Amino acid sequence: MLNQLETLAKTAQAELSQLSTSDALNAWNSKYIGRKGEITQMLRRVGELSKEERPIFGQRANELKRDLESGYEEKIAAIKIAEMEQAMQASALDVTLPGRPISRGRLHPSTQTLRRIYQIWADMGFQIYRSRDVETDEMNFQLLNFPPHHPAREMQDTFYTTNPDVLLRTHTSPGQIRVMRQYYPEPIRVILPGMCYRHEQITARSEIQFHQVEGLAVGHNIRFSDLKGTLINFTNRLYGQGRPTRFRTSHFPFTEPSAEMDVECFLCDGKGCRICKYSGWLEILGCGMVHPNVLRNGGYDPDKFSGFAFGMGPERITMLRHGIEDIRYFWGNDLRFLEQF
Ligand code: PHE
């Protein structure tokens, strides 16, 4: 039986040296040294031997089995490494490949214009005041001197909530009252940027939401010449030094006198083009001296204080600057539009 064992072990060793995959190796393991393997089974037959033969057989058998086992361990370790290397080679990363460009987000064109406007007004000493989007009818209209049946208060123009006294502000001007009530009796130099809402047919020229930047200066002895000088200073910074401007009379319930400000068309230099509708001028903002009633509603005595206010539309400024023909692009979330800025 010992000879039989020696031969078997030799065969097993020979077979082992031929193997090169872990599958084959596992099969070999169960064939020879596994629980039901041929060597293992032979070891169990030790009882068939005589008492004298047993220890010799047993010792040799264990020796042979240990050799086979360590042979197996060595081989399986080597194969595992080889197989792993192979797998890594197959799914190799080429670290020298150039990376794919990451497409970066960028600022919305309105935000870019807003920030430019903030910067200019900050340089001139105006603070930003954030007023609320949801307003009362009183703030949005009454305290701004709108007569009770002014057409702007119609349902067609204003988004009302279920409470008819609460609405989405139709302009940033109600912020004027809030600033005055908070700052009284200090002098005021603020701009009030924010979203405004109007219940309108959406077309290339009108949206139901848009930004405005309101401005308010209140103090002693502020005159219309201060309004003009300050706004000309602003437009010079925004559109370039020396660009001609003009003021036309206008009407707003909350300013008196009121005006609209134009800059010479910077696309045609005043010669007349499609963008300025062949007038040579672009209207850029509404403005005026704060109406005495509005000063009073803000807590300032119009005999002691005066002020000016203005309101501009950053989307309009952006449209003129970039020749954008349709305001609906601004909130359309179309990357083909947004990525151009
Ligand atoms: N609130 C006005 C509008 O929405 C703009 C404006 C603001 C005019 C301040 C004068 C003074 O058209």
Side-chain angles (χ1 to χ4, degrees), residues 173-246:
S173 303
Q176 289 188 31
I177 302 288
R178 295 193 179 274
V179 178
M180 285 192 272
R181 289 188 171 178
Q182 185 176 327
Y183 278 55
Y184 179 84
E186 300 294 323
I188 296 170
R189 303 276 185 281
V190 293
I191 56 166
L192 306 106
M195 196 64 95
C196 302
Y197 309 85
R198 287 190 197 167
H199 194 194
E200 287 188 82
Q201 184 76 32
I202 299 175
T203 68
R205 321 200 121 259
S206 65
E207 253 290 1
I208 58 171
Q209 63 172 72
F210 53 89
H211 286 101
Q212 278 191 348
V213 179
E214 187 92 4
L216 177 68
V218 175
H220 297 288
N221 235 346
I222 292 182
R223 291 164 300 188
F224 197 82
S225 55
D226 296 312
L227 162 71
K228 284 181 76 177
T230 310
L231 287 174
I232 289 169
N233 197 327
F234 169 77
T235 49
N236 275 335
R237 292 179 196 225
L238 186 63
Y239 294 107
Q241 215 66 31
R243 169 79 45 201
T245 56
R246 71 177 184 189

Side-chain angles (χ1 to χ4, degrees), residues 92-104:
L93 278 181
D94 182 352
V95 293
T96 66
L97 269 181
R100 295 194 185 92
I102 297 166
S103 64
R104 289 227 255 146

Side-chain angles (χ1 to χ4, degrees), residues 170-173 176 198 212 214-215 252 254-255 286-288 309-311:
T170 58
H171 52 172
T172 43
S173 303
Q176 289 188 31
R198 287 190 197 167
Q212 278 191 348
E214 187 92 4
F252 302 102
F254 38 90
T255 47
C287 57
F310 57 85

